[in-house]
Each structure stands twice: as structure tokens, then as C-alpha cells.
Amino acid sequence: MSKTIDWGPIRTLARRVFAEGERLALTRKETALLKRTAAEMGISDSEVESALTTEKAALGLLQEETRRIRDGTAGS
């Protein structure tokens, strides 16, 4: 039996950042969310740690996570 994953928090963050222009602050909460989402998607720890070194790289990680969610749920 597979566990249902709640993509709401990462979608909300992506909307605030990409649609509303909010800065990705990389607070503990945002960092934990990015890490948890990446783990759920099979993105390696090393990729995540590298992406969290700069705001620009973290934006790329957030973009990749939201792309994977969109692509993975398009057929649902």
C-alpha cells in the first residue's frame, strides 16, 4: 500500500516564489521542506546539499521539484 504525499506545502512555496515574487529565504522550515520533498522524489542528498548552498541553486531545486510534481500528476 503506497502512502499519499501531500504536495500542498511545496506547491504553496513555489507559488509564493515564482508567481508572487517572494524571495526564497531558506529558513529552517523552507530548507526542511525542500529536503523532504527531494527525498520523496528520489533526488540525491548530495544534489540537495549542493543546491542549498546558494539562493539561485535552491531556486533551481524548487523549480525541479515543482516540475516533477506537475509531470507526475498530469496523468492523474
Side-chain angles (χ1 to χ4, degrees):
M1 183 167 28
S2 65
K3 176 183 158 192
T4 301
I5 299 172
D6 178 11
W7 298 124
I10 199 73
R11 286 179 168 153
T12 298
L13 177 61
R15 185 185 67 248
R16 287 190 345 244
V17 171
F18 298 124
E20 298 171 11
E22 184 177 308
R23 182 174 170 260
L24 182 59
L26 291 181
T27 63
R28 271 192 253 188
K29 182 179 177 181
E30 290 177 346
T31 299
L33 177 60
L34 288 166
K35 285 181 176 182
R36 183 177 68 246
T37 303
E40 292 167 342
M41 297 181 163
I43 298 172
S44 73
D45 290 343
S46 61
E47 287 179 84
V48 173
E49 291 306 318
S50 179
L52 294 175
T53 60
T54 68
E55 185 178 337
K56 182 177 180 180
L59 285 169
L61 176 62
L62 177 59
Q63 191 167 35
E64 176 63 14
E65 290 175 350
T66 54
R67 183 195 65 77
R68 289 184 185 200
I69 291 168
R70 183 182 59 248
D71 291 353
T73 58
S76 299

